[in-house]
Amino acid sequence: MKEDFLRHAAMDDKTIDQRILEIFRATPGGIVSGEELSSRLKVSRTAVWKHIKSLKDLGYRIEAVPSVGYRLVAVPDLLLPAEIAVGLMTKRIGRQIISFRETDSTNETAFKLAEEGAPEGTVIIAESQRRGKGRMGRQWESPPGVNLYCSIILRPPILPLQAVQLTFLSAVAVARAVEETTPLVPTIKWPNDVLLSGRKVAGLLNEMGAETEKVNFIILGIGVNINMEEGQFPADLRYPATSLRMETGGAVNRMEFTRAFIRAVDNLYSAFMAGDYGVIRDEWLARCSMIGQRVHVSYRDSVVAGVATGIDDYGALLLNLDDGRVERVLAGDVSLV
C-alpha cells in the first residue's frame, strides 16, 4: 500500500506545528517573534525555523517580517489535522486525525490501522484516492482537492448484527452537515446514499472486523462530493451524481463541512452509545424520501417490488408486497417506480 502522507495529529498531544498555528491565531496583529515562539514552545530558534519551513511546505503562507517576527497570511486548501481541530470540541471522534495527500483507499488504511490498535474515534482523510471503495465492489471516483474522503474507526461494544445501525448514523451525520454548511435540504436513500434533487451527493461504506459474538472495530467510510464539477464525473456512472457546488452554484468550504460532519458523527455516536439508536433511526426515516413510495429492489438476478414502509433494527428495508406479505430486504439497489 503506497500512501502520500500529509499530517498526523492527536488533539490531546499537539504537535509543535499545531501549537505554532494556535499561537499565530491567538496573537493580536498576528506577528510573533522567533524568540517568543522559541520560549513558549521550549525549543531552539533553529527548531522554530524548521517548523515554520515545514508549514510553508504544506502550503501555509507565513511571512518573515524583518526584525519583528513571523506572520500567518493564509492557510492552504487542504484538510489538515491542525486546521480541522480548530474549534472542533468533540468527545470521541477526531481526537486523532491522520491525513494523506493520496492513498489507495481511506477504508483500507483505516482497517489496517484498526487492526494495529488505533484508538476509537481516529479519523483518516485523503485529498484523493486511487481506488476509492463504493458499495458492492464499485469504485468511488476521488479526484484531488475537491471532496471529502474520510474513514472513522469505532469500537462499540455491540454484536455484529447491530453494526448496520451505524450506517444510518453516518447518513444522518452527512445530512446534518449539508444543512449546516449550505441552504440545501438532502434526502436519504436506503441503504446508504445521500441525495440532492434526486442525485447522489454522498455514499457510505461501513466495514467491520469482528468475531462471532463480538465487534472488534467498525470502519465508517464516507465520500461526499463537495466542490466536484460536472466534467469531473465519469460518463458511465450507474446513478446520476451531483455535488454541493453544482447544487448551490458556488464553492463550499471543505474545512467547514468536514468539521460539521465530524461534530455530527460525534453527537450521534454519543447518542448511540447511550442506547438512543431509536432517535437516530427516527431521523433517518424522516429524511428518507422513499418511505411510503412504491419501489423496485434489484439484487443480482432478482427483483422485488413493493411499498417501502420503514427499516427494522438490523437495517433491513421493509416492503409491503402486493400479496400482503412483508418482505425484509437486506441488500440491493433501490429505485422508485
Side-chain angles (χ1 to χ4, degrees), residues 39-59:
S39 174
R40 292 177 65 173
L41 298 170
K42 295 181 171 56
V43 298
S44 68
R45 293 282 296 273
T46 300
V48 167
W49 178 84
K50 287 181 179 178
H51 284 284
I52 293 290
K53 183 178 183 301
S54 171
L55 289 168
K56 286 182 176 181
D57 290 342
L58 280 173

Side-chain angles (χ1 to χ4, degrees), residues 93-262:
I93 311 303
R95 303 302 299 179
Q96 179 164 270
I97 303 171
I98 302 170
S99 65
F100 297 89
R101 196 175 301 278
E102 185 178 62
T103 187
D104 287 337
S105 157
T106 60
N107 262 30
E108 286 182 8
T109 301
F111 203 97
K112 180 174 180 290
L113 290 171
E115 289 182 320
E116 294 172 353
E120 177 170 77
T122 298
V123 176
I124 294 88
I125 289 176
E127 287 295 315
S128 68
Q129 301 178 106
R130 287 179 288 269
R131 296 194 302 271
K133 299 172 73 174
R135 280 183 66 234
M136 301 172 73
R138 298 170 190 145
Q139 181 160 322
W140 186 267
E141 291 299 318
S142 309
V146 290
N147 297 331
L148 173 63
Y149 317 117
C150 171
S151 296
I152 300 172
I153 298 172
L154 301 179
R155 298 184 182 276
I158 60 175
L159 297 173
L161 277 174
Q162 296 172 279
V164 71
Q165 296 174 349
L166 292 167
T167 299
F168 303 116
L169 180 154
S170 299
V172 171
V174 170
R176 286 186 179 185
V178 170
E179 290 179 349
E180 182 176 331
T181 56
T182 75
L184 304 171
V185 180
T187 58
I188 295 172
K189 174 175 173 285
W190 182 90
N192 62 355
D193 293 341
V194 181
L195 309 180
L196 289 168
S197 306
R199 294 172 175 265
K200 185 171 178 175
V201 73
L204 315 168
L205 178 65
N206 290 2
E207 298 183 288
M208 176 171 56
E211 301 167 27
T212 305
E213 296 295 326
K214 177 189 175 185
V215 167
N216 294 322
F217 59 83
I218 292 171
I219 308 299
L220 304 187
I222 303 99
V224 185
N225 299 331
I226 298 179
N227 287 322
M228 208 164 169
E229 300 193 53
E230 190 167 1
Q232 293 178 286
F233 289 100
D236 59 349
L237 280 179
R238 189 178 179 91
Y239 296 106
T242 190
S243 70
L244 301 183
R245 181 184 189 121
M246 289 167 61
E247 295 297 320
T248 61
V252 173
N253 188 305
R254 289 196 306 147
M255 187 63 69
E256 289 181 5
F257 182 90
T258 300
R259 290 194 197 107
F261 170 70
I262 292 174

